[in-house]
Amino acid sequence: MAEFTGLSAFPLTPFKDDAVDERAFVSLIERLADAEVDSITALGSTGSYAFLDPEERAGVARLAVEYAGTTPVFVGVGALRTSHVLANVADAERAGASGVLLAPMTYQPLTHDEVFELFRAVTERTELPVIVYDNPGTTHFSFTVDLYSRIAGLPGIASIKIPAVPADPKRAADHVAAIRAVIPEHVTIGVSGDAFAATGLNAGCDAWYSVIGGTLPDPALAITRAAQQFRADEALAESARLEPLWSLFSEFGGSLRVVAAIAEQLGLAPRRCLPLPIQGLGAADRVRVAEVVDELGLVAELGLNDEPGLHDV
Amino acid sequence: MAEFTGLSAFPLTPFKDDAVDERAFVSLIERLADAEVDSITALGSTGSYAFLDPEERAGVARLAVEYAGTTPVFVGVGALRTSHVLANVADAERAGASGVLLAPMTYQPLTHDEVFELFRAVTERTELPVIVYDNPGTTHFSFTVDLYSRIAGLPGIASIKIPAVPADPKRAADHVAAIRAVIPEHVTIGVSGDAFAATGLNAGCDAWYSVIGGTLPDPALAITRAAQQFRADEALAESARLEPLWSLFSEFGGSLRVVAAIAEQLGLAPRRCLPLPIQGLGAADRVRVAEVVDELGLVAELGLNDEPGLHDV
């Protein structure tokens, strides 16, 4: 489906004093709509969905749709219990979402049949298109290509968000082709794992479900548009330029704390914007992030003045 | 502390039609109190705490305390967000719990400092003793002995629930001694991983945080009392007798689905008593469980008649 292609930007859900900072969240949504991303996915892992209570999640979904204008908004609905997932789906429908994103969250390890039945329960209850969210780093559930195939055959499945593709272009293309071969044509494949997103798009992924796109939409759009227009080398070059950022993701155990630190530094989110117990980066690590932000010219690129804290969030 | 020694039994929280089956839960609690376990831990992993909403958890905690009589009740308070943990602690206090059990649940991986600060936040907010719940199979967080030491030094920490000890008695004793050497004397060490509980108790663990103890208290008490009275071989022999049960745990990916099937077979819980998306065991696997229940004489041992379904739950 056309809506499930291109750049889907995953904004943070900034917290302040253990509550959602609605003003900061709305500013993030407006920035993404202004940047003309192809879609916004609210309440992804980057949006801390697993930490919010149901009322907070419904409120965030409503704000995202309200301030995204004509940009489609997808909403993360994952939860540990099936009935809680279905309640989140109903809230996403009421908010006016264009689709829902579902990760099989686990506490007890789940079987493939249990995950299949979860997706069946959701697709039977909603008319909204469903994105299968394969995020083993947080869910500790491992999909197989066979399970992609079973789930993608359910009516209502629109897209599969796959983890990082192999760095080698040939292996990446083979991996994407192997999935493509066993899912219906209308189901898109979206890559995540920002560091290899250019490789994934060049390898035939239809979409990029992007962490940095939620905070730094312009460089993410540069990569996406280049790949979509078959300027593969340009996409790879822009990704290579951002290598210092990917290195920080790798060094600091993932993208979340780094992107939060960038948003805080740029004045897009309040200090310590992640929900406790997540502390965010320490002072020394934030200096490292600030150096990379400076080195890559991200402040200028964002059209902000270079005095963080003066931005009106 | 004396309360944090011996057999702590972890009952299931049986579900029926996506709601807590309060009658079945109360029967389980009464059985455990009658069997004279040393304590009951409600809302452990076996009690599906992670799947319940806060109101359900508060209700289960109240029922456990109400029907446990003089048996101390500990209550699991884990949640992904610190403020949600603190709300669960307040509910456990109001219910009259004798202690709280806290696992560092994760969605985003947590650092050691973040987990330490979580325990500090809880110990600062409550007078209730806190059990550190190290359950890497569900939380995907790995404690180290050094982190045990830091957390055990917080005022209010009463016990550490450690994962399965090594099967080799000498290695098990070394492991327990290494922990014992770096934690305050008043903090007890409790073993989990039922298959090696006898080994753990013989190796110097003060307590057994027991899955089977929540459904089959008598054999769990036999092991515990033998070990406490330094009849090490007798504890090992009783554990060896239960080997077919441990084999099922291993074969079916953990203890939860097997114990639920046993409780269902014995009429202690309604059919399909686990919260969806967990399906429980399939029909063929249940036959295997029934054979083991029969082989081990668990029906007779429970003092139930041998016609499952006639028990008044």
Side-chain angles (χ1 to χ4, degrees), chain A residues 117-162:
Chain A
E117 292 299 332
L118 171 65
F119 278 93
R120 176 146 74 180
V122 169
T123 55
E124 282 179 351
R125 265 324 163 80
T126 183
E127 298 295 313
L128 286 179
V130 175
I131 304 166
V132 178
Y133 191 0
D134 180 2
N135 194 353
T138 57
T139 64
H140 305 282
F141 179 81
S142 293
F143 283 86
T144 58
V145 171
D146 179 60
L147 185 58
Y148 285 156
S149 175
R150 285 178 69 196
I151 293 174
L154 290 166
I157 300 294
S159 184
I160 303 175
K161 174 182 178 297
I162 65 170

mmCIF file of all heavy atoms in Angstrom, chain A residues 117-162:
data_model
loop_
_atom_site.group_PDB
_atom_site.id
_atom_site.type_symbol
_atom_site.label_atom_id
_atom_site.label_comp_id
_atom_site.label_asym_id
_atom_site.label_seq_id
_atom_site.Cartn_x
_atom_site.Cartn_y
_atom_site.Cartn_z
ATOM 1 N N GLU A 117 -1.600 -15.981 16.436
ATOM 2 C CA GLU A 117 -2.962 -15.777 16.939
ATOM 3 C C GLU A 117 -3.176 -14.353 17.456
ATOM 4 O O GLU A 117 -4.280 -13.808 17.360
ATOM 5 C CB GLU A 117 -3.301 -16.798 18.035
ATOM 6 C CG GLU A 117 -3.424 -18.239 17.527
ATOM 7 C CD GLU A 117 -4.525 -18.437 16.493
ATOM 8 O OE1 GLU A 117 -5.518 -17.676 16.513
ATOM 9 O OE2 GLU A 117 -4.374 -19.333 15.643
ATOM 10 N N LEU A 118 -2.131 -13.755 17.994
ATOM 11 C CA LEU A 118 -2.223 -12.348 18.411
ATOM 12 C C LEU A 118 -2.522 -11.457 17.199
ATOM 13 O O LEU A 118 -3.422 -10.601 17.246
ATOM 14 C CB LEU A 118 -0.909 -11.930 19.084
ATOM 15 C CG LEU A 118 -0.745 -10.443 19.389
ATOM 16 C CD1 LEU A 118 -1.771 -9.975 20.418
ATOM 17 C CD2 LEU A 118 0.671 -10.137 19.868
ATOM 18 N N PHE A 119 -1.769 -11.661 16.118
ATOM 19 C CA PHE A 119 -2.010 -10.846 14.924
ATOM 20 C C PHE A 119 -3.389 -11.150 14.331
ATOM 21 O O PHE A 119 -4.078 -10.260 13.849
ATOM 22 C CB PHE A 119 -0.893 -11.060 13.893
ATOM 23 C CG PHE A 119 0.324 -10.227 14.196
ATOM 24 C CD1 PHE A 119 1.370 -10.729 14.957
ATOM 25 C CD2 PHE A 119 0.403 -8.916 13.745
ATOM 26 C CE1 PHE A 119 2.474 -9.940 15.264
ATOM 27 C CE2 PHE A 119 1.502 -8.122 14.042
ATOM 28 C CZ PHE A 119 2.540 -8.637 14.806
ATOM 29 N N ARG A 120 -3.800 -12.415 14.404
ATOM 30 C CA ARG A 120 -5.133 -12.738 13.908
ATOM 31 C C ARG A 120 -6.198 -12.012 14.724
ATOM 32 O O ARG A 120 -7.150 -11.453 14.166
ATOM 33 C CB ARG A 120 -5.380 -14.240 13.957
ATOM 34 C CG ARG A 120 -6.801 -14.566 13.535
ATOM 35 C CD ARG A 120 -6.939 -15.862 12.803
ATOM 36 N NE ARG A 120 -6.815 -16.997 13.683
ATOM 37 C CZ ARG A 120 -6.907 -18.261 13.276
ATOM 38 N NH1 ARG A 120 -7.099 -18.522 11.993
ATOM 39 N NH2 ARG A 120 -6.789 -19.243 14.126
ATOM 40 N N ALA A 121 -6.043 -12.011 16.044
ATOM 41 C CA ALA A 121 -7.041 -11.346 16.893
ATOM 42 C C ALA A 121 -7.158 -9.863 16.532
ATOM 43 O O ALA A 121 -8.258 -9.304 16.474
ATOM 44 C CB ALA A 121 -6.658 -11.515 18.371
ATOM 45 N N VAL A 122 -6.004 -9.244 16.283
ATOM 46 C CA VAL A 122 -6.024 -7.806 15.967
ATOM 47 C C VAL A 122 -6.643 -7.563 14.590
ATOM 48 O O VAL A 122 -7.491 -6.677 14.424
ATOM 49 C CB VAL A 122 -4.603 -7.214 16.064
ATOM 50 C CG1 VAL A 122 -4.565 -5.807 15.471
ATOM 51 C CG2 VAL A 122 -4.155 -7.198 17.527
ATOM 52 N N THR A 123 -6.230 -8.344 13.606
ATOM 53 C CA THR A 123 -6.762 -8.097 12.256
ATOM 54 C C THR A 123 -8.252 -8.407 12.180
ATOM 55 O O THR A 123 -8.967 -7.826 11.361
ATOM 56 C CB THR A 123 -6.001 -8.906 11.182
ATOM 57 O OG1 THR A 123 -6.020 -10.294 11.541
ATOM 58 C CG2 THR A 123 -4.570 -8.434 11.060
ATOM 59 N N GLU A 124 -8.726 -9.300 13.035
ATOM 60 C CA GLU A 124 -10.168 -9.589 13.036
ATOM 61 C C GLU A 124 -10.981 -8.469 13.682
ATOM 62 O O GLU A 124 -12.166 -8.345 13.434
ATOM 63 C CB GLU A 124 -10.444 -10.910 13.787
ATOM 64 C CG GLU A 124 -10.128 -12.130 12.945
ATOM 65 C CD GLU A 124 -10.377 -13.435 13.683
ATOM 66 O OE1 GLU A 124 -10.638 -13.395 14.906
ATOM 67 O OE2 GLU A 124 -10.275 -14.493 13.032
ATOM 68 N N ARG A 125 -10.340 -7.670 14.538
ATOM 69 C CA ARG A 125 -11.072 -6.667 15.302
ATOM 70 C C ARG A 125 -11.047 -5.280 14.683
ATOM 71 O O ARG A 125 -11.758 -4.400 15.153
ATOM 72 C CB ARG A 125 -10.423 -6.525 16.669
ATOM 73 C CG ARG A 125 -10.912 -7.270 17.834
ATOM 74 C CD ARG A 125 -12.324 -7.549 18.051
ATOM 75 N NE ARG A 125 -12.322 -8.604 19.033
ATOM 76 C CZ ARG A 125 -12.146 -8.386 20.344
ATOM 77 N NH1 ARG A 125 -12.113 -7.153 20.813
ATOM 78 N NH2 ARG A 125 -12.074 -9.398 21.165
ATOM 79 N N THR A 126 -10.160 -5.039 13.709
ATOM 80 C CA THR A 126 -10.042 -3.666 13.207
ATOM 81 C C THR A 126 -9.984 -3.657 11.691
ATOM 82 O O THR A 126 -9.513 -4.613 11.069
ATOM 83 C CB THR A 126 -8.800 -2.961 13.778
ATOM 84 O OG1 THR A 126 -8.775 -1.606 13.313
ATOM 85 C CG2 THR A 126 -7.500 -3.648 13.354
ATOM 86 N N GLU A 127 -10.474 -2.559 11.130
ATOM 87 C CA GLU A 127 -10.329 -2.334 9.686
ATOM 88 C C GLU A 127 -9.020 -1.630 9.376
ATOM 89 O O GLU A 127 -8.648 -1.489 8.212
ATOM 90 C CB GLU A 127 -11.489 -1.457 9.183
ATOM 91 C CG GLU A 127 -12.866 -2.080 9.361
ATOM 92 C CD GLU A 127 -13.024 -3.333 8.501
ATOM 93 O OE1 GLU A 127 -12.677 -3.275 7.304
ATOM 94 O OE2 GLU A 127 -13.466 -4.362 9.047
ATOM 95 N N LEU A 128 -8.338 -1.141 10.407
ATOM 96 C CA LEU A 128 -7.087 -0.417 10.176
ATOM 97 C C LEU A 128 -5.997 -1.362 9.671
ATOM 98 O O LEU A 128 -5.883 -2.485 10.145
ATOM 99 C CB LEU A 128 -6.599 0.239 11.469
ATOM 100 C CG LEU A 128 -7.348 1.467 11.955
ATOM 101 C CD1 LEU A 128 -6.738 1.981 13.266
ATOM 102 C CD2 LEU A 128 -7.331 2.577 10.900
ATOM 103 N N PRO A 129 -5.196 -0.887 8.717
ATOM 104 C CA PRO A 129 -4.044 -1.682 8.281
ATOM 105 C C PRO A 129 -3.071 -1.879 9.446
ATOM 106 O O PRO A 129 -2.906 -0.998 10.287
ATOM 107 C CB PRO A 129 -3.400 -0.827 7.185
ATOM 108 C CG PRO A 129 -4.404 0.217 6.830
ATOM 109 C CD PRO A 129 -5.302 0.402 8.001
ATOM 110 N N VAL A 130 -2.436 -3.046 9.457
ATOM 111 C CA VAL A 130 -1.545 -3.423 10.554
ATOM 112 C C VAL A 130 -0.114 -3.580 10.032
ATOM 113 O O VAL A 130 0.105 -4.248 9.016
ATOM 114 C CB VAL A 130 -2.005 -4.745 11.203
ATOM 115 C CG1 VAL A 130 -1.012 -5.214 12.273
ATOM 116 C CG2 VAL A 130 -3.405 -4.584 11.797
ATOM 117 N N ILE A 131 0.827 -2.969 10.743
ATOM 118 C CA ILE A 131 2.253 -3.151 10.457
ATOM 119 C C ILE A 131 2.811 -4.165 11.458
ATOM 120 O O ILE A 131 2.678 -3.988 12.666
ATOM 121 C CB ILE A 131 3.030 -1.825 10.610
ATOM 122 C CG1 ILE A 131 2.433 -0.728 9.737
ATOM 123 C CG2 ILE A 131 4.524 -2.041 10.278
ATOM 124 C CD1 ILE A 131 2.943 0.676 10.095
ATOM 125 N N VAL A 132 3.433 -5.215 10.952
ATOM 126 C CA VAL A 132 4.082 -6.215 11.793
ATOM 127 C C VAL A 132 5.440 -5.651 12.218
ATOM 128 O O VAL A 132 6.257 -5.288 11.378
ATOM 129 C CB VAL A 132 4.297 -7.540 11.019
ATOM 130 C CG1 VAL A 132 5.009 -8.568 11.889
ATOM 131 C CG2 VAL A 132 2.978 -8.068 10.485
ATOM 132 N N TYR A 133 5.633 -5.581 13.505
ATOM 133 C CA TYR A 133 6.808 -4.871 14.054
ATOM 134 C C TYR A 133 7.760 -5.921 14.606
ATOM 135 O O TYR A 133 7.541 -6.467 15.686
ATOM 136 C CB TYR A 133 6.291 -3.971 15.161
ATOM 137 C CG TYR A 133 7.221 -2.937 15.751
ATOM 138 C CD1 TYR A 133 8.533 -2.754 15.332
ATOM 139 C CD2 TYR A 133 6.738 -2.097 16.757
ATOM 140 C CE1 TYR A 133 9.334 -1.780 15.894
ATOM 141 C CE2 TYR A 133 7.537 -1.118 17.324
ATOM 142 C CZ TYR A 133 8.821 -0.962 16.898
ATOM 143 O OH TYR A 133 9.606 0.014 17.467
ATOM 144 N N ASP A 134 8.816 -6.203 13.847
ATOM 145 C CA ASP A 134 9.807 -7.206 14.251
ATOM 146 C C ASP A 134 10.987 -6.482 14.887
ATOM 147 O O ASP A 134 11.830 -5.925 14.190
ATOM 148 C CB ASP A 134 10.255 -8.002 13.017
ATOM 149 C CG ASP A 134 11.300 -9.066 13.359
ATOM 150 O OD1 ASP A 134 11.652 -9.212 14.550
ATOM 151 O OD2 ASP A 134 11.757 -9.750 12.428
ATOM 152 N N ASN A 135 11.024 -6.484 16.183
ATOM 153 C CA ASN A 135 12.024 -5.705 16.927
ATOM 154 C C ASN A 135 12.627 -6.580 18.030
ATOM 155 O O ASN A 135 12.347 -6.408 19.221
ATOM 156 C CB ASN A 135 11.331 -4.474 17.528
ATOM 157 C CG ASN A 135 12.331 -3.438 18.018
ATOM 158 O OD1 ASN A 135 13.537 -3.687 18.038
ATOM 159 N ND2 ASN A 135 11.841 -2.280 18.410
ATOM 160 N N PRO A 136 13.446 -7.558 17.621
ATOM 161 C CA PRO A 136 13.909 -8.559 18.593
ATOM 162 C C PRO A 136 14.749 -7.973 19.730
ATOM 163 O O PRO A 136 14.810 -8.571 20.806
ATOM 164 C CB PRO A 136 14.741 -9.523 17.734
ATOM 165 C CG PRO A 136 15.117 -8.753 16.513
ATOM 166 C CD PRO A 136 13.999 -7.779 16.275
ATOM 167 N N GLY A 137 15.357 -6.808 19.515
ATOM 168 C CA GLY A 137 16.174 -6.196 20.562
ATOM 169 C C GLY A 137 15.354 -5.772 21.769
ATOM 170 O O GLY A 137 15.873 -5.685 22.884
ATOM 171 N N THR A 138 14.087 -5.508 21.554
ATOM 172 C CA THR A 138 13.223 -5.119 22.675
ATOM 173 C C THR A 138 12.227 -6.216 23.043
ATOM 174 O O THR A 138 11.896 -6.372 24.214
ATOM 175 C CB THR A 138 12.427 -3.834 22.359
ATOM 176 O OG1 THR A 138 11.664 -4.054 21.169
ATOM 177 C CG2 THR A 138 13.355 -2.644 22.151
ATOM 178 N N THR A 139 11.741 -6.963 22.046
ATOM 179 C CA THR A 139 10.713 -7.971 22.357
ATOM 180 C C THR A 139 11.325 -9.325 22.699
ATOM 181 O O THR A 139 10.655 -10.161 23.307
ATOM 182 C CB THR A 139 9.772 -8.210 21.158
ATOM 183 O OG1 THR A 139 10.541 -8.759 20.083
ATOM 184 C CG2 THR A 139 9.101 -6.927 20.710
ATOM 185 N N HIS A 140 12.563 -9.552 22.238
ATOM 186 C CA HIS A 140 13.223 -10.859 22.420
ATOM 187 C C HIS A 140 12.442 -11.981 21.743
ATOM 188 O O HIS A 140 12.611 -13.149 22.076
ATOM 189 C CB HIS A 140 13.465 -11.159 23.908
ATOM 190 C CG HIS A 140 14.246 -10.063 24.563
ATOM 191 N ND1 HIS A 140 15.599 -9.936 24.410
ATOM 192 C CD2 HIS A 140 13.864 -9.006 25.320
ATOM 193 C CE1 HIS A 140 16.018 -8.856 25.063
ATOM 194 N NE2 HIS A 140 14.980 -8.275 25.625
ATOM 195 N N PHE A 141 11.575 -11.603 20.805
ATOM 196 C CA PHE A 141 10.897 -12.603 19.984
ATOM 197 C C PHE A 141 11.539 -12.602 18.604
ATOM 198 O O PHE A 141 11.735 -11.536 18.009
ATOM 199 C CB PHE A 141 9.400 -12.297 19.857
ATOM 200 C CG PHE A 141 8.696 -13.309 18.990
ATOM 201 C CD1 PHE A 141 8.312 -14.533 19.516
ATOM 202 C CD2 PHE A 141 8.476 -13.065 17.641
ATOM 203 C CE1 PHE A 141 7.703 -15.494 18.718
ATOM 204 C CE2 PHE A 141 7.860 -14.016 16.831
ATOM 205 C CZ PHE A 141 7.477 -15.231 17.376
ATOM 206 N N SER A 142 11.843 -13.790 18.104
ATOM 207 C CA SER A 142 12.481 -13.893 16.788
ATOM 208 C C SER A 142 11.498 -14.406 15.750
ATOM 209 O O SER A 142 11.040 -15.546 15.829
ATOM 210 C CB SER A 142 13.686 -14.845 16.859
ATOM 211 O OG SER A 142 14.693 -14.275 17.658
ATOM 212 N N PHE A 143 11.187 -13.549 14.795
ATOM 213 C CA PHE A 143 10.380 -13.991 13.658
ATOM 214 C C PHE A 143 11.245 -14.845 12.723
ATOM 215 O O PHE A 143 12.469 -14.726 12.717
ATOM 216 C CB PHE A 143 9.882 -12.773 12.858
ATOM 217 C CG PHE A 143 8.725 -12.043 13.477
ATOM 218 C CD1 PHE A 143 8.954 -11.049 14.419
ATOM 219 C CD2 PHE A 143 7.423 -12.329 13.109
ATOM 220 C CE1 PHE A 143 7.892 -10.356 14.989
ATOM 221 C CE2 PHE A 143 6.356 -11.642 13.673
ATOM 222 C CZ PHE A 143 6.585 -10.653 14.615
ATOM 223 N N THR A 144 10.569 -15.659 11.947
ATOM 224 C CA THR A 144 11.229 -16.341 10.836
ATOM 225 C C THR A 144 10.550 -15.879 9.551
ATOM 226 O O THR A 144 9.447 -15.299 9.592
ATOM 227 C CB THR A 144 11.065 -17.868 10.946
ATOM 228 O OG1 THR A 144 9.663 -18.158 10.963
ATOM 229 C CG2 THR A 144 11.713 -18.405 12.221
ATOM 230 N N VAL A 145 11.179 -16.142 8.427
ATOM 231 C CA VAL A 145 10.550 -15.792 7.150
ATOM 232 C C VAL A 145 9.231 -16.554 6.996
ATOM 233 O O VAL A 145 8.246 -16.028 6.478
ATOM 234 C CB VAL A 145 11.521 -16.060 5.978
ATOM 235 C CG1 VAL A 145 10.816 -15.905 4.636
ATOM 236 C CG2 VAL A 145 12.711 -15.101 6.061
ATOM 237 N N ASP A 146 9.200 -17.764 7.490
ATOM 238 C CA ASP A 146 7.957 -18.542 7.429
ATOM 239 C C ASP A 146 6.840 -17.880 8.238
ATOM 240 O O ASP A 146 5.686 -17.835 7.795
ATOM 241 C CB ASP A 146 8.208 -19.969 7.952
ATOM 242 C CG ASP A 146 6.941 -20.799 7.936
ATOM 243 O OD1 ASP A 146 6.373 -20.979 6.840
ATOM 244 O OD2 ASP A 146 6.505 -21.254 9.015
ATOM 245 N N LEU A 147 7.192 -17.359 9.402
ATOM 246 C CA LEU A 147 6.161 -16.701 10.220
ATOM 247 C C LEU A 147 5.724 -15.379 9.570
ATOM 248 O O LEU A 147 4.530 -15.040 9.601
ATOM 249 C CB LEU A 147 6.677 -16.464 11.649
ATOM 250 C CG LEU A 147 5.655 -15.888 12.635
ATOM 251 C CD1 LEU A 147 4.413 -16.777 12.771
ATOM 252 C CD2 LEU A 147 6.291 -15.649 14.005
ATOM 253 N N TYR A 148 6.675 -14.643 8.963
ATOM 254 C CA TYR A 148 6.277 -13.452 8.178
ATOM 255 C C TYR A 148 5.196 -13.852 7.171
ATOM 256 O O TYR A 148 4.195 -13.166 6.993
ATOM 257 C CB TYR A 148 7.456 -12.902 7.374
ATOM 258 C CG TYR A 148 8.534 -12.147 8.110
ATOM 259 C CD1 TYR A 148 9.820 -12.070 7.560
ATOM 260 C CD2 TYR A 148 8.292 -11.464 9.298
ATOM 261 C CE1 TYR A 148 10.838 -11.364 8.176
ATOM 262 C CE2 TYR A 148 9.308 -10.753 9.928
ATOM 263 C CZ TYR A 148 10.574 -10.707 9.362
ATOM 264 O OH TYR A 148 11.579 -9.989 9.964
ATOM 265 N N SER A 149 5.447 -14.964 6.506
ATOM 266 C CA SER A 149 4.545 -15.397 5.440
ATOM 267 C C SER A 149 3.156 -15.714 5.983
ATOM 268 O O SER A 149 2.139 -15.292 5.413
ATOM 269 C CB SER A 149 5.153 -16.615 4.740
ATOM 270 O OG SER A 149 4.260 -17.128 3.786
ATOM 271 N N ARG A 150 3.117 -16.456 7.089
ATOM 272 C CA ARG A 150 1.812 -16.807 7.679
ATOM 273 C C ARG A 150 1.046 -15.554 8.084
ATOM 274 O O ARG A 150 -0.151 -15.418 7.821
ATOM 275 C CB ARG A 150 1.993 -17.667 8.936
ATOM 276 C CG ARG A 150 2.379 -19.098 8.674
ATOM 277 C CD ARG A 150 2.580 -19.838 10.006
ATOM 278 N NE ARG A 150 1.343 -20.049 10.747
ATOM 279 C CZ ARG A 150 1.283 -20.388 12.042
ATOM 280 N NH1 ARG A 150 2.403 -20.534 12.739
ATOM 281 N NH2 ARG A 150 0.130 -20.573 12.638
ATOM 282 N N ILE A 151 1.748 -14.644 8.781
ATOM 283 C CA ILE A 151 1.065 -13.447 9.292
ATOM 284 C C ILE A 151 0.688 -12.508 8.150
ATOM 285 O O ILE A 151 -0.414 -11.947 8.133
ATOM 286 C CB ILE A 151 1.951 -12.733 10.341
ATOM 287 C CG1 ILE A 151 2.089 -13.621 11.581
ATOM 288 C CG2 ILE A 151 1.352 -11.381 10.717
ATOM 289 C CD1 ILE A 151 3.048 -13.086 12.637
ATOM 290 N N ALA A 152 1.583 -12.361 7.177
ATOM 291 C CA ALA A 152 1.300 -11.439 6.066
ATOM 292 C C ALA A 152 0.100 -11.893 5.249
ATOM 293 O O ALA A 152 -0.529 -11.093 4.557
ATOM 294 C CB ALA A 152 2.530 -11.305 5.168
ATOM 295 N N GLY A 153 -0.249 -13.175 5.352
ATOM 296 C CA GLY A 153 -1.410 -13.683 4.650
ATOM 297 C C GLY A 153 -2.736 -13.319 5.306
ATOM 298 O O GLY A 153 -3.801 -13.508 4.709
ATOM 299 N N LEU A 154 -2.685 -12.800 6.519
ATOM 300 C CA LEU A 154 -3.913 -12.379 7.191
ATOM 301 C C LEU A 154 -4.453 -11.118 6.515
ATOM 302 O O LEU A 154 -3.682 -10.218 6.182
ATOM 303 C CB LEU A 154 -3.637 -12.067 8.669
ATOM 304 C CG LEU A 154 -3.302 -13.240 9.590
ATOM 305 C CD1 LEU A 154 -2.727 -12.733 10.915
ATOM 306 C CD2 LEU A 154 -4.552 -14.081 9.840
ATOM 307 N N PRO A 155 -5.763 -11.037 6.321
ATOM 308 C CA PRO A 155 -6.295 -9.806 5.733
ATOM 309 C C PRO A 155 -6.047 -8.636 6.682
ATOM 310 O O PRO A 155 -6.209 -8.782 7.890
ATOM 311 C CB PRO A 155 -7.788 -10.092 5.585
ATOM 312 C CG PRO A 155 -8.070 -11.260 6.453
ATOM 313 C CD PRO A 155 -6.799 -12.013 6.674
ATOM 314 N N GLY A 156 -5.604 -7.511 6.121
ATOM 315 C CA GLY A 156 -5.374 -6.336 6.961
ATOM 316 C C GLY A 156 -3.908 -6.076 7.251
ATOM 317 O O GLY A 156 -3.559 -4.996 7.724
ATOM 318 N N ILE A 157 -3.054 -7.034 6.995
ATOM 319 C CA ILE A 157 -1.619 -6.774 7.191
ATOM 320 C C ILE A 157 -1.125 -5.920 6.023
ATOM 321 O O ILE A 157 -1.325 -6.266 4.854
ATOM 322 C CB ILE A 157 -0.807 -8.084 7.277
ATOM 323 C CG1 ILE A 157 -1.275 -8.947 8.457
ATOM 324 C CG2 ILE A 157 0.689 -7.776 7.372
ATOM 325 C CD1 ILE A 157 -1.013 -8.363 9.837
ATOM 326 N N ALA A 158 -0.489 -4.783 6.344
ATOM 327 C CA ALA A 158 -0.088 -3.817 5.322
ATOM 328 C C ALA A 158 1.396 -3.792 5.083
ATOM 329 O O ALA A 158 1.856 -3.435 3.993
ATOM 330 C CB ALA A 158 -0.540 -2.414 5.740
ATOM 331 N N SER A 159 2.180 -4.141 6.101
ATOM 332 C CA SER A 159 3.620 -3.919 5.991
ATOM 333 C C SER A 159 4.325 -4.728 7.073
ATOM 334 O O SER A 159 3.715 -5.113 8.076
ATOM 335 C CB SER A 159 3.922 -2.420 6.196
ATOM 336 O OG SER A 159 5.290 -2.136 6.022
ATOM 337 N N ILE A 160 5.592 -5.014 6.833
ATOM 338 C CA ILE A 160 6.428 -5.666 7.842
ATOM 339 C C ILE A 160 7.642 -4.786 8.088
ATOM 340 O O ILE A 160 8.355 -4.420 7.147
ATOM 341 C CB ILE A 160 6.897 -7.062 7.385
ATOM 342 C CG1 ILE A 160 5.702 -7.956 7.038
ATOM 343 C CG2 ILE A 160 7.750 -7.717 8.458
ATOM 344 C CD1 ILE A 160 6.103 -9.309 6.453
ATOM 345 N N LYS A 161 7.842 -4.439 9.332
ATOM 346 C CA LYS A 161 9.025 -3.665 9.726
ATOM 347 C C LYS A 161 10.082 -4.675 10.149
ATOM 348 O O LYS A 161 9.955 -5.310 11.197
ATOM 349 C CB LYS A 161 8.672 -2.745 10.891
ATOM 350 C CG LYS A 161 9.837 -1.993 11.504
ATOM 351 C CD LYS A 161 9.357 -1.151 12.679
ATOM 352 C CE LYS A 161 10.489 -0.409 13.375
ATOM 353 N NZ LYS A 161 11.484 -1.296 13.991
ATOM 354 N N ILE A 162 11.112 -4.823 9.327
ATOM 355 C CA ILE A 162 12.146 -5.819 9.604
ATOM 356 C C ILE A 162 13.335 -5.173 10.303
ATOM 357 O O ILE A 162 13.569 -3.975 10.164
ATOM 358 C CB ILE A 162 12.605 -6.547 8.316
ATOM 359 C CG1 ILE A 162 13.301 -5.582 7.343
ATOM 360 C CG2 ILE A 162 11.444 -7.258 7.650
ATOM 361 C CD1 ILE A 162 13.984 -6.270 6.162
#
